[in-house]
């Protein structure tokens, strides 16, 4: 699926909208479906990770995500680590309807320095709740603040950016060698976004336990509009899954999780991402609709407050239910925005599969 290369060197690639899952000859009892999955030494109840975006994840919602059986990720470069009391800033942002004014305010708010003591405080609060959790940093800040994640007891450090490779080279800053960094840390690392087979393979070789595939949901279209960069997710996931298989043989059995991080707007997208070969999906927009979400009806990623080149405005979303109802139901709407876990369970049962690993072999067609 990853692409056919014509004479001009341009590959044909496919997005999740371009594929559909084909049922097998027999369905399965939904009670027989097991959605648990394993990443490194941690087993989770269902394959959903909450995206590290301020509009979704606070210490409280990270805790709730873990309590429900998923994995929450706190953005350590967000308002929660810049302000002792960020609630008033979230309230202010929610009152601004003009998007230009919202961008200007966000740029101002996120210009405040990250405070190491607040990182420690937020992570300690989550750790004390006794749930699985992760913390996210960008390649720019990971050297400075990764030690705080190590000592916090976090299950994972997530290193995320628009496009992350195994090595970042600059004439003005020290090169960031991902392999050297990962092996120096005493916490398992999930890293991305990966965009193709070779990037994924190199990040696996660098020692990551999980690879994020894609650019995340918050600024996907804007990244294409501003930078001309886009990742057709079905092909990107398929390429990363191929890299995972090759690396499994190359390493003598080391399995690295592939996590879809982009183009996930509802339960159908989650199912198609897993069928393309992902082990889990990082979810943004659906969780931004939760009544507990800090964004209070708005959703944004880090690209929305970039100080010089904004690549994604806030997205207004409809607050529809609690985080638990969005993840586990019951659903009261028919648009794939609620009971994400139940919908995925139903997809596997309807198509004849009982585990995520078996479902990764589902037949796909182009539509």
């Amino acid at each position: 699926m990853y692409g056919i290369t014509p004479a001009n060197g341009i590959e044909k690639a496919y997005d999740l909208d371009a594929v559909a899952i084909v049922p097998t000859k027999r369905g399965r009892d939904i009670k027989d479906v097991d959605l648990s999955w394993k990443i490194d030494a941690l087993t989770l109840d269902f394959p959903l990770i909450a995206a590290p975006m301020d509009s979704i994840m606070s210490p409280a919602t990270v805790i709730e995500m873990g309590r429900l059986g998923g994995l929450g990720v706190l953005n350590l470069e967000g308002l929660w680590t810049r302000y002792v009391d960020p609630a008033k800033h979230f309230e202010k942002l929610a009152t601004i309807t003009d998007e230009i004014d919202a961008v200007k305010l966000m740029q101002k708010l996120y210009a405040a320095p990250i405070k190491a003591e607040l990182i420690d405080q937020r992570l300690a609060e989550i750790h004390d709740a006794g749930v699985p959790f992760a913390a996210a940093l960008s390649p720019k800040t990971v050297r400075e603040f990764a030690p705080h994640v190590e000592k916090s007891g976090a299950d994972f450090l997530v290193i995320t950016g628009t496009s992350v490779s195994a090595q970042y080279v600059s004439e003005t800053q020290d090169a960031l060698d991902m392999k050297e960094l990962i092996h120096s840390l005493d916490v398992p690392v999930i890293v991305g976004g990966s965009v193709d087979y070779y990037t994924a393979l190199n990040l696996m070789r660098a020692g990551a336990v999980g690879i994020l595939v894609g650019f995340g949901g918050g600024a996907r279209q804007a990244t294409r509009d501003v930078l001309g960069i886009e990742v057709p997710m079905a092909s990107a996931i398929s390429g990363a899954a191929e890299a995972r298989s090759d690396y499994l043989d190359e390493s003598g059995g080391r399995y690295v999780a592939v996590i879809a991080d982009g183009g996930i707007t509802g339960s159908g997208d989650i199912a198609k991402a897993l069928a393309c070969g992902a082990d889990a999906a990082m979810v943004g927009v659906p969780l931004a609709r939760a009544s507990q979400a800090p964004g209070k009806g708005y959703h944004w990623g880090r690209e929305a407050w970039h100080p010089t080149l904004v690549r994604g405005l806030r997205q207004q979303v409809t607050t529809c239910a609690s985080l638990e109802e969005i993840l586990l139901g019951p659903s009261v709407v028919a648009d794939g925005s609620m009971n994400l876990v139940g919908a995925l369970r139903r997809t596997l049962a309807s198509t004849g599969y009982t585990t995520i690993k078996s479902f990764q072999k589902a037949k796909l067609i182009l539509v």
Side-chain angles (χ1 to χ4, degrees):
M1 176 182 288
Y2 189 67
I4 300 170
T5 306
N8 62 6
I10 300 175
E11 293 187 7
K12 179 67 176 177
Y14 302 98
D15 216 334
L16 293 175
D17 290 341
V19 301
I21 304 164
V22 179
T24 59
K25 292 186 295 183
R26 61 178 182 177
R28 305 297 291 261
D29 189 331
I30 195 170
K31 295 178 182 177
D32 294 334
V33 174
D34 178 8
L35 293 181
S36 64
W37 70 295
K38 186 175 181 180
I39 177 169
D40 197 47
L42 181 66
T43 299
L44 295 160
D45 292 347
F46 52 80
L48 299 180
I49 301 174
M53 297 177 176
D54 274 3
S55 54
I56 304 169
M57 289 283 99
S58 65
T61 55
V62 170
I63 292 169
E64 179 69 354
M65 188 74 183
R67 183 188 71 81
L68 295 172
L71 182 67
V73 188
L74 187 68
N75 173 21
L76 298 187
E77 298 174 18
L79 299 183
W80 294 97
T81 59
R82 297 175 192 263
Y83 298 95
V84 173
D85 179 18
K88 60 183 179 183
H89 300 304
F90 284 107
E91 293 281 357
K92 177 64 175 178
L93 280 169
T95 66
I96 299 177
T97 57
D98 182 87
E99 286 308 314
I100 301 300
D101 290 341
V103 168
K104 290 179 179 178
L105 178 56
M106 282 194 286
Q107 288 175 325
K108 179 180 179 181
L109 291 175
Y110 285 96
I114 299 169
K115 298 178 175 63
E117 63 271 20
L118 287 179
I119 290 179
D120 293 338
Q121 179 182 327
R122 306 307 186 197
L123 294 181
E125 178 184 347
I126 300 169
H127 178 267
D128 289 348
V131 300
F133 71 102
L137 291 166
S138 68
K140 183 179 179 180
T141 64
V142 67
R143 279 200 185 100
E144 181 178 1
F145 296 118
H148 297 271
V149 181
E150 289 181 286
K151 71 179 182 181
S152 73
D155 292 277
F156 303 100
L157 167 62
V158 178
I159 304 174
T160 180
T162 299
S163 180
V164 177
S165 56
Q167 188 172 54
Y168 172 78
V169 180
S170 170
E171 293 184 0
T172 58
Q173 300 177 9
D174 292 338
L176 177 62
D177 187 307
M178 197 63 71
K179 182 175 183 178
E180 179 182 324
L181 173 67
I182 290 174
H183 284 274
S184 72
L185 296 174
D186 191 27
V187 58
V189 173
I190 300 170
V191 63
S194 167
V195 296
D196 58 14
Y197 169 93
Y198 294 104
T199 306
L201 182 61
N202 286 331
L203 290 173
M204 291 173 188
R205 288 170 172 168
V209 300
I211 306 297
L212 299 175
V213 179
F215 296 153
R220 188 164 175 253
Q221 182 173 341
T223 297
R224 179 187 63 190
D225 294 342
V226 177
L227 301 182
I229 300 173
E230 185 178 12
V231 179
M233 286 297 292
S235 294
I237 295 167
S238 178
E242 183 181 353
R244 177 186 60 206
S245 179
D246 289 348
Y247 180 69
L248 187 68
D249 292 337
E250 174 187 307
S251 64
R254 184 173 181 266
Y255 189 93
V256 179
V258 170
I259 302 162
D261 182 24
I264 307 294
T265 60
S267 56
D269 295 323
I270 296 169
K272 287 190 281 187
L274 298 186
C276 286
D279 297 285
M282 182 166 274
V283 182
V285 172
L287 304 187
R289 298 189 177 104
S291 56
Q292 305 101 308
K296 301 183 182 302
Y298 288 96
H299 176 53
W300 66 90
R302 69 177 68 233
E303 297 86 356
W305 46 266
H306 193 282
T308 60
L309 188 63
V310 171
R311 301 191 302 280
L313 299 177
R314 292 184 312 168
Q315 177 180 351
Q316 190 165 14
V317 296
T318 301
T319 301
C320 63
S322 68
L323 184 60
E324 181 170 1
E325 289 169 324
I326 289 172
L327 289 170
L328 304 179
S331 174
V332 295
V333 295
D335 59 2
S337 64
M338 291 182 66
N339 196 3
L340 302 180
V341 174
L344 182 59
R345 194 181 304 277
R346 176 64 63 183
T347 298
L348 266 67
S350 299
T351 53
Y353 300 94
T354 58
T355 66
I356 294 170
K357 291 307 299 178
S358 63
F359 184 58
Q360 290 172 342
K361 300 176 182 177
K363 181 180 179 181
L364 294 170
I365 58 172
L366 297 175
V367 296

Coordinates of all heavy atoms in Angstrom, one line a residue, residues 180-212:
E180 N 21.5 8.4 20.9 CA 22.3 8.8 22.1 C 21.5 9.3 23.2 O 21.6 8.9 24.4 CB 23.4 9.8 21.7 CG 24.2 10.3 22.9 CD 25.2 11.4 22.4 OE1 25.7 11.4 21.3 OE2 25.4 12.3 23.3
L181 N 20.5 10.1 22.9 CA 19.6 10.6 23.9 C 18.8 9.5 24.6 O 18.7 9.4 25.8 CB 18.6 11.7 23.3 CG 17.5 12.2 24.2 CD1 18.1 13.0 25.4 CD2 16.5 13.0 23.5
I182 N 18.1 8.7 23.8 CA 17.2 7.6 24.3 C 18.0 6.7 25.2 O 17.5 6.3 26.3 CB 16.6 6.9 23.1 CG1 15.5 7.8 22.4 CG2 15.9 5.6 23.6 CD1 14.9 7.2 21.2
H183 N 19.2 6.3 24.8 CA 20.0 5.4 25.6 C 20.5 6.0 26.9 O 20.9 5.3 27.8 CB 21.1 4.8 24.7 CG 20.6 3.7 23.8 ND1 20.5 2.4 24.1 CD2 20.2 3.8 22.5 CE1 20.0 1.7 23.1 NE2 19.9 2.6 22.1
S184 N 20.5 7.3 26.9 CA 21.0 8.0 28.1 C 19.9 8.2 29.2 O 20.2 8.5 30.3 CB 21.6 9.4 27.8 OG 20.5 10.3 27.4
L185 N 18.6 7.9 28.8 CA 17.5 8.2 29.6 C 17.1 6.9 30.4 O 17.1 5.8 29.8 CB 16.3 8.7 28.8 CG 16.5 10.1 28.2 CD1 15.3 10.4 27.3 CD2 16.7 11.2 29.2
D186 N 16.6 7.1 31.6 CA 16.1 6.0 32.4 C 14.5 6.0 32.4 O 13.9 5.8 33.4 CB 16.6 6.1 33.8 CG 16.3 4.9 34.6 OD1 16.2 3.8 34.0 OD2 16.2 5.0 35.9
V187 N 14.0 6.2 31.2 CA 12.5 6.2 31.0 C 12.3 5.8 29.5 O 13.0 6.3 28.6 CB 11.8 7.6 31.3 CG1 12.4 8.7 30.5 CG2 10.3 7.5 31.2
P188 N 11.3 4.9 29.3 CA 11.1 4.5 27.9 C 10.6 5.7 27.1 O 9.8 6.6 27.6 CB 10.0 3.4 28.0 CG 10.1 2.9 29.4 CD 10.5 4.1 30.2
V189 N 10.9 5.7 25.8 CA 10.7 6.9 25.0 C 9.8 6.5 23.8 O 10.0 5.5 23.1 CB 12.0 7.5 24.4 CG1 11.7 8.6 23.4 CG2 12.8 8.1 25.6
I190 N 8.7 7.3 23.6 CA 7.9 7.3 22.4 C 8.2 8.5 21.6 O 8.3 9.6 22.2 CB 6.4 7.3 22.8 CG1 6.0 6.1 23.6 CG2 5.5 7.4 21.5 CD1 4.6 6.1 24.2
V191 N 8.4 8.4 20.3 CA 8.9 9.5 19.5 C 8.2 9.6 18.2 O 7.8 8.6 17.6 CB 10.5 9.4 19.4 CG1 10.9 8.2 18.6 CG2 11.0 10.7 18.7
G192 N 8.0 10.8 17.7 CA 7.4 11.1 16.4 C 7.2 12.5 16.2 O 7.5 13.3 17.1
G193 N 6.7 13.0 15.0 CA 6.1 12.2 14.1 C 7.0 11.6 12.9 O 7.8 12.4 12.3
S194 N 6.8 10.4 12.7 CA 7.4 9.7 11.7 C 6.6 9.8 10.4 O 5.3 9.9 10.5 CB 7.6 8.2 12.0 OG 7.9 7.4 10.9
V195 N 7.2 9.9 9.2 CA 6.5 10.1 8.0 C 6.6 9.0 7.0 O 5.8 8.9 6.0 CB 6.9 11.4 7.4 CG1 6.6 12.6 8.3 CG2 8.4 11.4 7.0
D196 N 7.6 8.1 7.2 CA 7.7 7.0 6.2 C 8.5 5.8 6.8 O 8.8 5.8 8.0 CB 8.5 7.5 5.0 CG 9.9 8.1 5.3 OD1 10.4 7.8 6.4 OD2 10.5 8.8 4.4
Y197 N 8.6 4.8 6.0 CA 9.3 3.6 6.4 C 10.7 3.8 7.0 O 11.0 3.3 8.1 CB 9.4 2.6 5.2 CG 10.3 1.4 5.4 CD1 9.7 0.2 5.8 CD2 11.7 1.5 5.2 CE1 10.5 -0.9 6.0 CE2 12.5 0.3 5.4 CZ 11.9 -0.8 5.8 OH 12.7 -1.9 6.0
Y198 N 11.5 4.6 6.3 CA 12.9 4.8 6.7 C 13.0 5.6 8.0 O 13.8 5.3 8.9 CB 13.7 5.4 5.6 CG 13.8 4.5 4.4 CD1 13.0 4.7 3.3 CD2 14.6 3.4 4.4 CE1 13.1 3.9 2.2 CE2 14.7 2.5 3.3 CZ 13.9 2.8 2.2 OH 14.0 1.9 1.1
T199 N 12.2 6.6 8.2 CA 12.2 7.4 9.4 C 11.8 6.5 10.6 O 12.4 6.5 11.6 CB 11.3 8.6 9.3 OG1 11.6 9.4 8.2 CG2 11.4 9.5 10.6
A200 N 10.7 5.7 10.4 CA 10.3 4.8 11.4 C 11.3 3.8 11.8 O 11.6 3.6 13.0 CB 9.0 4.1 11.0
L201 N 12.0 3.2 10.8 CA 13.0 2.2 11.1 C 14.2 2.8 11.8 O 14.7 2.2 12.8 CB 13.5 1.6 9.7 CG 14.5 0.5 9.8 CD1 14.0 -0.7 10.6 CD2 14.9 0.1 8.4
N202 N 14.6 4.0 11.4 CA 15.7 4.6 12.1 C 15.4 5.0 13.6 O 16.3 4.9 14.5 CB 16.2 5.9 11.3 CG 16.9 5.5 10.1 OD1 17.6 4.4 10.0 ND2 16.9 6.4 9.1
L203 N 14.2 5.4 13.8 CA 13.8 5.7 15.2 C 13.7 4.4 16.0 O 13.9 4.4 17.2 CB 12.4 6.5 15.2 CG 12.5 7.9 14.6 CD1 11.1 8.5 14.5 CD2 13.4 8.8 15.5
M204 N 13.2 3.4 15.4 CA 13.2 2.1 16.1 C 14.6 1.6 16.5 O 14.9 1.2 17.6 CB 12.5 1.0 15.2 CG 11.1 1.2 15.0 SD 10.3 0.1 13.8 CE 8.7 0.8 13.7
R205 N 15.5 1.8 15.5 CA 16.9 1.5 15.8 C 17.6 2.4 16.8 O 18.5 2.0 17.5 CB 17.7 1.6 14.5 CG 17.5 0.5 13.5 CD 18.1 0.8 12.1 NE 18.0 -0.3 11.2 CZ 18.2 -0.2 9.9 NH1 18.6 1.0 9.4 NH2 18.1 -1.2 9.1
A206 N 17.0 3.6 17.0 CA 17.5 4.5 18.0 C 17.1 4.1 19.4 O 17.6 4.6 20.4 CB 17.0 5.9 17.7
G207 N 16.1 3.2 19.5 CA 15.8 2.7 20.8 C 14.4 3.1 21.3 O 14.0 2.8 22.5
A208 N 13.6 3.7 20.5 CA 12.2 4.1 20.9 C 11.4 2.8 21.1 O 11.5 1.8 20.4 CB 11.6 5.0 19.8
V209 N 10.5 2.9 22.1 CA 9.5 1.8 22.3 C 8.2 2.0 21.6 O 7.4 1.1 21.5 CB 9.2 1.6 23.8 CG1 10.5 1.3 24.6 CG2 8.5 2.8 24.4
G210 N 8.0 3.2 21.1 CA 6.8 3.5 20.3 C 7.1 4.6 19.3 O 7.9 5.5 19.6
I211 N 6.5 4.5 18.1 CA 6.7 5.5 17.1 C 5.4 6.1 16.7 O 4.4 5.5 16.4 CB 7.3 4.8 15.8 CG1 8.5 4.0 16.1 CG2 7.5 5.9 14.7 CD1 9.7 4.8 16.5
L212 N 5.3 7.5 16.8 CA 4.2 8.2 16.4 C 4.2 8.4 14.9 O 5.2 8.9 14.4 CB 4.1 9.6 17.1 CG 4.0 9.5 18.7 CD1 4.1 11.0 19.2 CD2 2.7 8.9 19.1

